[in-house]
Amino acid sequence: MATYKEIDNGSWKSFGKTLLSAKGSERQIELLQSCRDGKDAFLQYLNNNLLNEKNVIATGKGIFLDHKFTEAEFRFPPIDTQQIIWDAFQEVPRQNMGSCGFWGSIVIDMIKHDCISPDYLASNVNGVNETGVYMLDNAINSDDSKKIDECVRRILRSMGNPEPRGKRIIFNDFYLGKAYWRWNWSNKMSNEINLSFKEILSTLDDKGYAKFSEKMHTGKSYISQTNTFGGLLLFMNKNPDTLVKSMEKIIDNLTYLSIWKAIEIQSPELTQAEIENLAANLQ
Amino acid sequence: MSNELILSFPVLKQDSGDFLDSISYTAIATQYQNDRKLVITHTLKGESFIVELLKNQKAGFSVTLFYKDNAERQNFICNDWNYDEDTQEIVAEQNIDIDFSYAPEITPCIVVTGDEKIIVNERSGLTDFWKNEEFDIPTFSRIAYHLKLQFTSGDVSSLLNVQCDKEYQDGSIKTKVMETAGEGDQPIKIICAQDVYDELKKQVIDLPYDAQTAMRKAIITQVLCHIYAHMSNLEDKKDIHSGLLKHMKEVFDKTGENWEDESNFNASFAATRITPYAISALNKENR
């Protein structure tokens, strides 16, 4: 297996942990200020506090995501940008694609090559006008340690750092990772069930993907079995309104069922029928 | 798996009470890291209705692999096995390619492949509780379990990866704990200078008898102290590498130091009390 360039995951996590050890600390302000001051200052900060340490970068093949993002595009990659992300990482093994250190290295290289500006990392995904610059200024000039800490957490999440939410951040929170994994699941499952890549992508829209990926990376990871996930997708495709109403309960029931029944070996179609029954009983 | 689930058919698992003591199902896993292969061996012992279902191709051995970091699950069924009349043993072997550099969690079981009705007789392998009973087993029911298989024993030596950095000054050691390392990975990395590395390769004994042996013990104590302090400060001590979890239990059992009581946890004390320090299995390619 080829090795790919990535930040040592232990060092990457320690970097986040140190930053989050005290809310509103000088250390946090220093990060925010460097992010606000632009590329050179931010890279200098990373060099001083992370990259200059010995053995922090595991050398290997580098992947360069050669695309100049707008801020909005970085936060919510539209479909054509998702295609660019998917294409760029086609050759990379899934193990690397789930590695926080790999994505951290990708984001730093994107900043180095002006594909994104460091302030994008601070954008607030929940606000329409809350640009990274706005969020950074707001935090830097604030006495509210919670606000400062939240901004630091947002930056770490946008770089794929695991400290704020663990390794699952790559699948759930981190914009580029989410886009990649949604396409990866759609591609994989289109070879397993009778739905096209586009149909699955559409079923796994932002809301659908969020729901499934949340479950897959918690105790309900049972649903990531190919046959089980296939059954869920077939059901969702036929009953798109069910997502909000009862998908969570359906997944809970499936997980419970799996204790005694090996639903992972029954076909997606049989699982779909099983889910239809579960859903009917929930109403 | 929940222990509280009550089913209308018997299930072969540890302490279930459904089957005679002579009936058992075990599975072992061997990982060969060099060629990225996993060999799972299932063994079903004793005469039982499960043997009959397997012989009639109405049941199969199943194994689920879970690559935790990627939430990827894979399932493999095996219907090919050998039966030894003399020992009344069915043995099945599965050879599986590993897709990731870390080892998966492995959950083996035996599954029925269709709806079955069983009329209990003296060859069913069941306890008196089931005498003269009839029961139905629905398609895809798991009728025998083995506990989830994991690779590390929890012994501290199985958790350590020691590397030498020739540029380090004599006596230097750097210890990193990666508590969320993948299954099969060694979650503790020690990078040290050549002189320390040379000492760590030698046997460390419980009762030092000269300056050299005392120094070796001190190096390990220092490393363990760092590791325990790190582990003690973790906010989430549950969702971590299974080997570390086992080791934490071992530390508690041997030293009485309670991980749940962070403010009173004494990392130095625990480090001086934990044994053995044998690091003979360092970085073996085939573990």
Side-chain angles (χ1 to χ4, degrees), chain A:
Chain A
M1 188 188 281
T3 52
Y4 287 82
K5 180 181 158 192
E6 65 173 42
I7 303 171
D8 170 75
N9 276 300
S11 306
W12 191 215
K13 188 171 164 58
S14 301
F15 173 75
K17 187 169 187 160
T18 307
L19 272 165
L20 298 182
S21 59
K23 286 180 185 172
S25 63
E26 281 296 315
R27 199 192 299 270
Q28 288 198 330
I29 297 284
E30 192 190 350
L31 170 83
L32 299 182
Q33 191 62 58
S34 72
C35 197
R36 177 66 177 92
D37 290 345
K39 171 183 161 182
D40 292 343
F42 189 64
L43 291 176
Q44 188 61 48
Y45 177 90
L46 291 177
N47 274 333
N48 294 344
N49 293 281
L50 172 73
L51 302 174
N52 275 351
E53 205 183 330
K54 205 169 169 51
N55 302 320
V56 162
I57 294 288
T59 51
K61 197 170 172 185
I63 297 284
F64 175 43
L65 183 50
D66 187 11
H67 175 70
K68 306 266 189 261
F69 283 77
T70 64
E71 185 164 2
E73 190 185 14
F74 180 64
R75 283 159 50 177
F76 299 112
I79 201 82
D80 52 342
T81 312
Q82 290 174 23
Q83 175 82 58
I84 292 167
I85 296 167
W86 173 245
D87 289 345
F89 297 105
Q90 281 280 340
E91 65 171 87
V92 183
R94 299 189 302 291
Q95 183 170 333
N96 296 85
M97 298 308 297
S99 156
C100 294
F102 174 80
W103 279 110
S105 166
I106 294 288
V107 171
I108 292 171
D109 281 347
M110 286 169 71
I111 294 169
K112 276 183 191 163
H113 293 95
D114 300 307
C115 293
I116 57 170
S117 165
D119 54 84
Y120 293 3
L121 303 173
S123 296
N124 187 1
V125 291
N126 298 318
V128 276
N129 290 319
E130 293 177 330
T131 63
V133 168
Y134 171 81
M135 297 306 290
L136 284 164
D137 286 345
N138 215 348
I140 291 167
N141 298 316
S142 169
D143 291 330
D144 183 351
S145 60
K146 192 165 172 255
K147 188 180 276 185
I148 294 166
D149 186 68
E150 278 172 1
C151 197
V152 171
R153 284 174 185 271
R154 209 173 299 119
I155 291 171
L156 289 174
R157 283 202 300 268
S158 309
M159 298 180 79
N161 186 288
E163 190 55 23
R165 285 199 65 195
K167 286 180 184 178
R168 61 171 182 249
I169 198 167
I170 295 302
F171 306 87
N172 293 347
D173 265 6
F174 170 66
Y175 319 128
L176 305 179
K178 252 167 60 175
Y180 169 85
W181 280 101
R182 194 176 139 221
W183 278 57
N184 183 291
W185 277 112
S186 303
N187 181 50
K188 177 181 172 180
M189 296 310 297
S190 66
N191 296 316
E192 305 284 346
I193 57 176
N194 196 20
L195 288 178
S196 70
F197 176 78
K198 278 190 176 170
E199 282 172 315
I200 299 175
L201 203 57
S202 150
T203 301
L204 278 182
D205 61 4
D206 258 1
K207 202 187 279 177
Y209 176 77
K211 195 61 100 185
F212 287 121
S213 74
E214 251 172 41
K215 295 285 182 186
M216 279 179 188
H217 294 274
T218 62
K220 308 284 164 56
S221 65
Y222 186 78
I223 61 165
S224 69
Q225 301 272 5
T226 307
N227 285 340
T228 313
F229 193 42
L232 276 164
L233 287 172
L234 289 170
F235 173 79
M236 281 291 305
N237 185 255
K238 207 170 138 192
N239 307 276
D241 296 337
T242 312
L243 181 67
V244 180
K245 274 199 296 182
S246 45
M247 188 46 77
E248 204 150 326
K249 281 185 184 164
I250 289 173
I251 292 173
D252 288 348
N253 276 290
L254 273 181
T255 307
Y256 189 69
L257 188 64
S258 74
I259 294 173
W260 68 270
K261 185 173 183 180
I263 52 175
E264 69 272 15
I265 60 175
Q266 74 183 7
S267 69
E269 289 75 18
L270 279 177
T271 304
Q272 181 192 1
E274 192 118 36
I275 294 168
E276 303 275 3
N277 283 336
L278 286 174
N281 287 331
L282 286 174
Q283 284 169 357

Side-chain angles (χ1 to χ4, degrees), chain B:
Chain B
M1 301 284 169
S2 165
N3 291 323
E4 292 168 18
L5 195 67
I6 297 169
L7 298 169
S8 58
F9 55 89
V11 174
L12 178 56
K13 61 181 177 181
Q14 204 173 13
D15 301 327
S16 77
D18 288 326
F19 285 78
L20 299 173
D21 290 346
S22 55
I23 316 296
S24 68
Y25 167 59
T26 53
I28 56 168
T30 311
Q31 186 193 8
Y32 297 100
Q33 290 198 329
N34 283 347
D35 55 5
R36 306 175 67 78
K37 291 269 185 209
L38 193 62
V39 179
I40 314 282
T41 309
H42 306 258
T43 307
L44 178 65
K45 284 185 185 172
E47 190 180 31
S48 69
F49 75 88
I50 301 177
V51 172
E52 291 308 309
L53 289 174
L54 284 163
K55 282 182 179 173
N56 294 321
Q57 300 288 312
K58 291 177 173 174
F61 294 98
S62 165
V63 67
T64 298
L65 307 185
F66 178 39
Y67 294 97
K68 200 173 172 184
D69 286 359
N70 290 64
E72 177 152 332
R73 285 180 183 265
Q74 298 171 356
N75 185 262
F76 301 90
I77 299 284
C78 172
N79 292 312
D80 190 19
W81 39 262
N82 289 314
Y83 182 61
D84 185 326
E85 290 281 355
D86 295 336
T87 58
Q88 291 190 323
E89 264 186 23
I90 284 190
V91 178
E93 195 172 277
Q94 290 178 280
N95 285 276
I96 298 169
D97 290 330
I98 298 175
D99 287 350
F100 295 81
S101 70
Y102 59 94
E105 285 180 6
I106 301 160
T107 312
C109 64
I110 301 175
V111 176
V112 294
T113 48
D115 286 339
E116 295 298 332
K117 180 183 260 316
I118 304 291
I119 300 167
V120 179
N121 60 33
E122 66 278 10
R123 293 184 310 282
S124 299
L126 294 167
T127 54
D128 283 349
F129 178 82
W130 294 94
K131 200 171 180 180
N132 300 326
E133 292 283 337
E134 283 184 24
F135 53 84
D136 295 313
I137 308 178
T139 309
F140 299 132
S141 295
R142 302 179 204 272
I143 48 172
Y145 297 114
H146 188 269
L147 298 175
K148 194 188 289 177
L149 300 173
Q150 291 163 330
F151 281 97
T152 51
S153 63
D155 181 280
V156 69
S157 63
S158 70
L159 306 174
L160 299 175
N161 175 291
V162 183
Q163 291 172 11
C164 172
D165 188 325
K166 292 188 174 162
E167 291 178 22
Y168 271 33
Q169 282 190 344
D170 279 358
S172 305
I173 312 173
K174 183 174 171 183
T175 306
K176 272 187 200 171
V177 184
M178 295 161 284
E179 63 275 6
T180 52
E183 291 297 316
D185 282 350
Q186 290 152 311
I188 301 165
K189 188 189 264 187
I190 298 171
I191 305 170
C192 56
Q194 183 72 55
D195 63 329
V196 179
Y197 186 75
D198 292 342
E199 291 303 324
L200 285 176
K201 282 195 296 191
K202 296 168 191 163
Q203 192 184 7
V204 178
I205 53 173
D206 249 3
L207 296 169
Y209 55 85
D210 61 12
Q212 194 81 2
T213 50
M215 181 184 70
R216 275 179 222 147
K217 184 163 178 169
I219 293 171
I220 300 294
T221 306
Q222 186 189 342
V223 167
L224 289 180
C225 186
H226 173 93
I227 295 165
Y228 296 162
H230 177 95
M231 301 299 298
S232 165
N233 285 323
L234 286 180
E235 281 175 27
D236 180 2
K237 294 191 182 68
K238 287 180 183 149
D239 191 17
I240 60 173
H241 189 275
S242 62
L244 279 175
L245 269 180
K246 282 184 190 166
H247 185 65
M248 286 164 76
K249 186 176 178 311
E250 187 189 325
V251 170
F252 176 68
D253 290 345
K254 283 186 174 172
T255 71
E257 287 297 310
N258 187 355
W259 298 96
E260 301 304 321
D261 186 8
E262 277 171 36
S263 52
N264 288 318
F265 183 87
N266 188 333
S268 311
F269 174 76
T272 57
R273 296 291 298 274
I274 199 76
T275 54
Y277 293 146
I279 315 185
S280 56
L282 283 186
N283 309 335
K284 276 186 182 171
E285 282 301 305
N286 285 319
R287 274 182 288 146

